[in-house]
Amino acid sequence: MAKTVGIGITGGIAAYKIAELVSMLKKDDLDVIVIMTAAATEFITPLTFRTLSGREVLVDLWDDSREWKVQHIGVAEQLDMLVVAPATANFIAKAAHGIADDLLSTVVLANTSPLLVVPAMNHNMYKNQAVQDNIRTLKEYGYKVMEPDSGALACGVSGQGRLPEIGSIYNEIKKMLYPLQDLRGKRIMVNAGTTCEDIDPVRFIANRGTGKMGIAIAENAVDRGADVILVCGNSPLETPAGVKFVPVWGAEEMCEAMLKYQPACDIIIGAAAVGDFRIKDMAEQKLKKSDNQSEELTLTLVGTPDILKTLGKNKPGNQIMVGFAAETENIIANAQKKLESKNLDFIVANDVTMEGAGFASDTNIVTFISRSGEIESLPKMSKQDVAAAILDKVVKLL
Ligand code: C5P
């Protein structure tokens, strides 16, 4: 389920920069609730954030909430984390002393999720003993406080007080939202989607693969700190944020791309629905039909490379390779054969005839079969949860 991030904006000139942050978080499919102080609305309008976050922007403590719950409690309960950026000296002082005199400071008190405070102000204000004491207090409360950057300030002088780069705030948010960083420093290549084989310049053969499973794995790996290469055939889904995206068309192109990146990878997961055949001779011009409706057209197919088998032959000893086996009968025995022939560390088998499993579905019902012979069946779960379970198993093997 998408996580919910509260973005509190207080009245500093850097408020306008938060538009970019909200936009980046939304691209990650996070749910963003923007809460502005009255002073912040003097610098940038709530309309900007309403448009970017796709939600009503909250400003007034006394607004009539549509929910039965008091607004500040209702909002605080939804949050997986709260960020206050820019945080003015005034906000920091209020938060350090438990003052709750507007919606944002009240939400801060009611909030129990991790809190990130990003101060930005004039350098003399930032150095002021009272401000520094208040920041220390916030840290003692367990809040994470980012250091402002040094450089030119809006007031015309230079010093420490600039809002950190939006990219740094974004990275800090991701680290706090996803504390499990067990794939940091690892490079993982995932393939996803369906391969397509051309018949003529406008027609092709593909299959029912949508990319949901592979993309869920890529997203989970990014959240866990991995460096992710997503080699993707045809898929109607959006490219996930934070991956190196390598779009491909046919099985041969997918195989070449994966062979190129294989030596740099610690982990390879083959979740793509790779076509086993391609058209032997693609027509150079669009095939024409005749007036005779009963005319027959014969297409000659030839095999495509088995990508995982090819990669399996080149596999260095410390590389972990995982494949999928979509089966309709004799699931375990067929999957075991594939595990061996493709030189995999484990295989994720599923019975695609079962409801809630296989292509296009949002859920999957899978069994892990390891090289050691261990068999582990998981209940029906979302493809996101299956992705997390696969990577949990990979981490154990690393
Ligand atoms: O042999 P089968 O197609 O059932 O094996 C499925 C697994 O092998 C999947 O992980 C799939 O991505 C991969 N595969 C492949 N190259 C092919 C066919 C399948 O890498 N040509």
Side-chain angles (χ1 to χ4, degrees):
M1 209 174 80
K3 297 212 181 208
T4 304
V5 182
I7 299 284
I9 306 172
T10 69
I13 181 66
Y16 79 92
K17 296 182 179 171
I18 306 306
E20 172 72 12
L21 179 65
V22 171
S23 156
M24 285 169 83
L25 296 171
K26 283 299 290 179
K27 283 200 186 114
D28 284 352
D29 278 339
L30 291 164
D31 198 6
V32 179
I33 303 179
V34 176
I35 309 158
M36 299 176 79
T37 63
T41 66
E42 299 287 332
F43 289 93
I44 180 165
T45 64
L47 176 63
T48 303
F49 291 106
R50 190 173 79 198
T51 312
L52 292 172
S53 69
R55 262 181 176 268
E56 208 59 52
V57 169
L58 310 174
V59 180
D60 193 346
L61 184 59
W62 308 111
D63 259 355
D64 199 13
S65 163
R66 261 165 258 154
E67 305 283 329
W68 65 268
K69 266 195 187 167
V70 189
Q71 183 167 234
H72 56 275
I73 307 292
V75 171
E77 279 177 355
Q78 290 176 54
L79 300 181
D80 291 294
M81 83 171 281
L82 176 59
V83 184
V84 181
T88 56
N90 180 54
F91 168 81
I92 291 167
K94 288 200 295 181
H97 295 89
I99 293 171
D101 63 351
D102 62 6
L103 184 62
L104 179 59
S105 52
T106 314
V107 169
V108 166
L109 285 193
N111 170 57
T112 53
S113 70
L115 175 61
L116 175 66
V117 178
V118 193
M121 64 195 76
N122 164 273
H123 67 308
N124 285 327
M125 286 174 82
Y126 182 67
K127 274 192 295 194
N128 183 285
Q129 195 55 52
V131 174
Q132 286 300 316
D133 286 350
N134 288 332
I135 287 178
R136 194 171 20 84
T137 304
L138 294 188
K139 289 181 180 166
E140 282 165 11
Y141 292 162
Y143 303 158
K144 170 88 190 168
V145 183
M146 284 182 85
E147 285 259 313
D149 278 355
S150 294
L153 300 174
C155 46
V157 294
S158 190
Q160 189 182 18
R162 281 171 66 86
L163 191 82
E165 291 297 327
I166 292 301
S168 312
I169 304 175
Y170 169 84
N171 287 340
E172 198 57 52
I173 292 172
K174 295 301 283 272
K175 266 200 261 165
M176 289 174 73
L177 268 183
Y178 306 102
L180 186 63
Q181 291 291 296
D182 51 3
L183 287 172
R184 186 157 289 282
K186 299 291 175 200
R187 177 165 294 141
I188 169 166
M189 173 160 61
V190 184
N191 69 5
T194 163
T195 54
C196 304
E197 305 300 341
D198 289 321
I199 298 172
D200 68 16
V202 296
R203 303 184 179 95
F204 59 88
I205 300 181
N207 61 58
R208 293 181 196 277
T210 58
K212 273 185 193 160
M213 192 62 246
I215 286 176
I217 295 170
E219 282 174 334
N220 192 266
V222 169
D223 292 346
R224 296 164 86 145
D227 194 359
V228 181
I229 302 171
L230 176 63
V231 181
C232 197
N234 211 15
S235 164
L237 305 179
E238 249 186 64
T239 306
V243 302
K244 176 180 170 65
F245 188 68
V246 182
V248 293
W249 186 246
E252 278 172 4
E253 193 191 348
M254 182 176 267
C255 192
E256 264 171 44
M258 294 188 76
L259 279 170
K260 175 172 147 199
Y261 294 111
Q262 179 178 24
C265 293
D266 302 290
I267 304 151
I268 295 175
I269 303 188
V274 185
D276 294 324
F277 299 95
R278 66 173 176 82
I279 307 296
K280 187 163 174 235
D281 295 306
M282 175 194 159
E284 297 212 341
Q285 306 299 331
K286 186 180 168 197
L287 295 174
K288 296 262 182 286
K289 66 175 180 199
S290 69
D291 290 337
N292 176 8
Q293 210 193 313
S294 52
E295 181 202 19
E296 289 183 358
L297 171 69
T298 306
L299 296 171
T300 306
L301 305 180
V302 289
T304 54
D306 186 312
I307 301 174
L308 288 186
K309 201 182 245 179
T310 312
L311 297 176
K313 288 193 184 124
N314 295 338
K315 186 176 133 188
N318 55 356
Q319 191 170 67
I320 292 174
M321 255 177 64
V322 182
F324 278 75
E327 304 294 342
T328 53
E329 56 179 353
N330 300 329
I331 319 291
I332 306 292
N334 283 333
Q336 264 161 342
K337 267 191 225 150
K338 288 179 187 170
L339 175 90
E340 290 295 330
S341 70
K342 296 174 201 254
N343 192 17
L344 304 174
D345 292 274
F346 71 94
I347 193 156
V348 183
N350 61 345
D351 179 346
V352 285
T353 63
M354 278 172 93
E355 187 162 338
F359 301 118
S361 161
D362 287 329
T363 54
N364 213 345
I365 308 166
V366 301
T367 299
F368 293 157
I369 303 163
S370 309
R371 201 137 251 268
S372 56
E374 195 191 332
I375 296 176
E376 190 185 340
S377 293
L378 304 184
K380 175 156 116 184
M381 47 173 79
S382 69
K383 287 191 171 166
Q384 280 69 26
D385 287 344
V386 172
I390 292 170
L391 291 177
D392 285 348
K393 195 163 172 65
V394 166
V395 166
K396 281 193 204 138
L397 293 175
L398 278 172

